DNA sequence: GTGAAAGCGCTAACAG
DNA sequence: CTGTTAGCGCTTTCAC
């Protein structure tokens, strides 16, 4: 089945290449009769334009890159990435873009991948999941004057478009909820301190406490890295400070922390309450169900793709910021039903 | 920063386009002096060849498509997909291929995506995750004479290359283990009956039982769909038949089943033992740790990519089959430590 | 409305 | 070893 070309279709339809091209691309200026005839030939022959040729001539690749750096182990277990990926994939489909996936685990990966993504001609635009201090991949990409949308607030936000939730408000909300329930020693398990996400959530924790005239006790703050194991160890560490409630910067860490609490003979939520962050469906649902902040990760994907396509179509111009909304989901782990 | 072309480099280096092309593509037949000079110009200018042009001229896209159909909900929660994806991504990186990700949730998605993947020129080859009866996407793809490698045994295996484990042997192994431990009423939670994976594992279950002269009791077999919830409900159903051990066709289903068992007041493994399948790291590790069959999902990715590249380079010819090895991992949930 | 013609930037024979 | 010469299949002015 030798592949057909525009030329072949043109011949069969008795028109010129240009006309077929117009029909294929849905341009105006084609009479209904001709359009119909051409369309029929295309349908009956099963013709599809050659993407490489189209890309070369139009200087567009119709491909969006999703770049996920530094995530080897987390990508495996955190439901965040599959959700984001799925959201992006779905949106790409809808807009007739192809999704290129670039997982960058090591510096070498980055060097290998960079030329392939930094260049217009292979990609029309880039979605970059990040939010790490000193993540100079962002700068490199911005300098390459590719349209780029960051998922998560970048540390240097000047001139870049990004999409995020208001992590500070959301975290503040979560902690305020615990305060309202009457907890006195509210601990926090943060993410890595070089992640903007974690920084913002920690700020929310501080704000909630100070707004109510409370003091932040550093003994009640422990750092994790968004893995279950890190939540577990952070909690073991926190146990000495005897928290009666814990706000974890992610659900997964909250689960690890709950495991540590139980191991220490504490009941959840009677002896220690938990609130997490994310509210993504987990492979095995926790018991008790987790009170948490819901963020629309799947929707991030769609929204990010739309911003990006807009930048691709209309030039980069002023950076866009989209802040999506979060929601406190009250379940058992915070003890709300017991305390009210 | 107007992008440079081969021509520009040729001029600056005082050679012809072809020579630069040869250098870029690492061909022989270039004198060391010239090569060095050209390389230097390329380095100093930061030149990168235009992929679209290269693709058009060479009739290669240097892109591999990973196609995952019918997986909307499972993709979210089952660690299988992130692992596979990561393995494929890593391998693509290594071999200088770009990875295109195509998630197909609905029939409409399929129609939209198909033209983009079935055509040489957008993709050099396809990796298709599947194994469903009547999955006619396989046939369509095979007919499009694209190089295709299936991940998982396809139902009609004639003429297609695929990579899989021996699910039958592995399942037989798992169940034999339970038999050796002395369990009398060994149940199975299967996957959907239209999945080859599940069919094979069920066959292994049957074989293990009949090999030991046991009869298969249909009351001890329940169907799930690889989700936690389905494991839970399957187990609730099985409880009536009072199994003393359960082999689940996936870890996630085993976890759901364990949840149901506990809810019914049964202890694991004292009252009912469990063996799963997969052994992929989970966001929140189960308690007790799961005895399971380990399959090298991450490695599937690498192996599949290598077969595919071989097919791309050397033509499709005879279909390849790669069967990777599995391993029984004995932990607590099967009660081995109690019974021995 | 439609066609002719000039590329898009690169690869790959083919000469020399 | 190197340069010349055709394309790859499509888009897009520019005439008519």
């Amino acid at each position: 089945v030798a592949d057909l070309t525009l030329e072949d279709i043109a011949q069969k339809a008795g028109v010129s290449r240009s006309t077929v091209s117009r029909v294929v691309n849905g341009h105006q200026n084609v009479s209904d009769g001709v359009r119909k005839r051409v369309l029929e030939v295309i349908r009956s022959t099963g013709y599809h334009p050659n993407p490489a040729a189209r890309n070369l001539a139009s200087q567009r690749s119709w491909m969006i890159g999703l770049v996920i750096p530094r995530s080897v182990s987390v990508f495996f277990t955190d439901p965040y990435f599959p959700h984001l990926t799925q959201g992006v994939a779905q949106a790409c489909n809808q807009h007739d873009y192809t999704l290129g996936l670039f997982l960058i685990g090591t510096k070498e990966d980055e060097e290998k991948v960079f030329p392939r993504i930094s260049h217009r001609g292979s990609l029309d635009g880039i979605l970059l999941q990040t939010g790490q201090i000193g993540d100079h991949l962002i700068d490199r990409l911005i300098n390459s004057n590719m349209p780029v949308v960051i998922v998560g607030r970048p540390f240097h936000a000047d001139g870049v478009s990004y999409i995020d939730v208001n992590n500070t408000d959301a975290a503040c909300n979560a902690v305020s909820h615990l305060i309202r329930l009457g907890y006195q020693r509210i601990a926090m398990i943060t993410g890595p301190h070089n992640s903007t996400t974690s920084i913002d959530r920690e700020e929310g924790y501080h704000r909630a406490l100070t707004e109510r005239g409370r003091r932040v006790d550093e003994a009640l703050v422990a750092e994790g890295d968004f893995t279950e194991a890190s939540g577990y160890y952070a909690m073991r560490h926190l146990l000495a400070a005897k928290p009666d409630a814990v706000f974890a910067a992610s659900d997964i860490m909250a689960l690890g922390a709950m495991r540590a609490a139980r191991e220490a003979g504490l009941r959840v939520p009677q002896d220690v309450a938990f609130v997490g962050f994310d509210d993504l469906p987990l492979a095995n649902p926790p018991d008790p169900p987790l009170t948490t902040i819901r963020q629309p990760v799947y929707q991030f994907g769609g929204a990010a793709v739309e911003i990006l396509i807009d930048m691709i179509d209309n030039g980069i111009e002023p950076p866009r910021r989209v802040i999506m909304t979060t929601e406190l989901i009250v379940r058992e782990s915070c003890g709300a039903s017991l305390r009210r």
Side-chain angles (χ1 to χ4, degrees), chain A:
Chain A
V1 188
D3 281 343
L4 299 121
T5 72
L6 255 198
E7 188 68 55
D8 298 329
I9 304 300
Q11 244 166 42
K12 291 192 207 250
V15 295
S16 78
R17 244 169 33 206
S18 336
T19 302
V20 179
S21 174
R22 287 185 193 107
V23 171
V24 168
N25 296 294
H27 288 185
Q28 311 304 319
N29 294 351
V30 181
S31 67
D32 278 6
V34 171
R35 156 163 290 131
K36 213 167 155 188
R37 184 146 42 94
V38 172
L39 244 26
E40 174 52 25
V41 175
I42 290 178
R43 202 200 50 69
S44 70
T45 53
Y47 164 79
H48 291 292
N50 176 317
R54 179 196 289 244
N55 294 351
L56 179 58
S58 66
Q59 309 284 38
R60 292 264 234 131
S61 65
W62 297 101
M63 172 147 146
I64 285 176
L66 173 59
V67 180
I68 303 183
R70 274 166 258 278
S71 52
V72 192
S73 71
V74 185
F75 186 80
F76 286 146
T77 53
D78 199 313
Y80 183 93
F81 297 97
H83 274 81
L84 180 66
T85 305
Q86 173 106 24
V88 172
Q90 181 68 35
C92 283
N93 244 351
Q94 222 138 66
H95 298 279
D96 283 313
Y97 274 82
T98 294
L99 169 60
L101 185 61
F102 301 86
L103 303 184
I104 300 185
T106 65
K107 259 287 172 234
E108 290 147 37
D109 287 347
E110 181 176 330
E111 289 318 314
K112 200 138 193 190
V113 162
F114 190 75
R116 286 221 296 277
I117 62 177
S118 60
H119 214 59
R120 223 124 162 184
S122 37
L123 251 40
D124 288 341
I126 293 181
L127 249 39
L128 177 59
Q129 158 66 39
T130 182
Q132 300 217 328
I133 291 182
D135 193 340
H136 80 307
L137 185 55
I138 297 188
D139 302 329
R140 295 180 73 182
L141 247 24
I142 299 285
N143 286 336
S144 70
N145 88 344
M146 281 277 286
V148 177
V149 173
I150 314 287
V151 180
R153 178 175 78 80
F155 194 70
H156 296 294
D158 2 326
V160 298
S161 296
Y162 68 85
I163 179 165
D164 202 357
V165 294
N166 189 323
N167 281 297
T168 306
D169 284 358
C172 178
N173 213 340
V175 175
S176 298
H177 174 68
L178 290 171
I179 294 177
R180 279 195 305 273
L181 290 175
Y183 294 103
Q184 294 302 318
R185 301 186 55 75
I186 302 175
M188 173 166 184
I189 299 176
T190 72
H193 288 318
N194 68 353
S195 117
T196 54
T197 304
S198 179
I199 292 170
D200 291 352
R201 290 178 193 170
E202 199 170 344
E203 189 185 324
Y205 167 77
H206 282 220
R207 199 172 81 201
L209 292 178
T210 51
E211 268 181 6
R212 313 275 170 142
R214 300 205 184 177
R215 177 169 303 149
V216 174
D217 180 353
E218 283 306 326
L220 285 172
V221 177
E223 180 178 359
D225 63 5
F226 290 126
T227 63
E228 202 265 357
S230 76
Y232 174 84
Y233 289 112
M235 187 65 197
R236 297 243 312 215
H237 181 75
L238 287 175
L239 283 170
K242 301 207 180 304
D244 57 0
V246 176
F247 167 56
S250 85
D251 287 349
I252 302 287
M253 290 199 294
L255 297 183
M258 280 170 54
R259 180 159 64 90
R262 275 210 203 84
E263 246 181 50
L266 300 173
R267 293 164 306 161
V268 179
Q270 292 90 339
D271 299 323
V272 54
F274 286 90
V275 174
F277 206 115
D278 277 345
D279 197 40
L280 299 173
L282 294 166
N284 46 339
D287 175 39
L290 210 52
T291 292
T292 187
I293 300 284
R294 173 178 297 170
Q295 60 171 339
V297 178
Y298 182 89
Q299 286 82 340
F300 280 6
V305 167
E306 265 153 35
I307 301 173
L308 190 57
I309 289 179
D310 200 69
M311 290 170 71
I312 294 169
D313 289 340
N314 305 319
I316 306 192
E317 303 299 338
R320 318 290 184 72
R321 272 102 213 235
V322 174
I323 305 300
M324 306 200 62
T325 59
T326 58
E327 188 184 353
L328 176 69
I329 307 292
V330 178
R331 299 204 184 90
E332 319 282 308
S333 69
C334 65
S337 50
L338 300 174
R339 298 215 155 205
R340 281 226 180 96

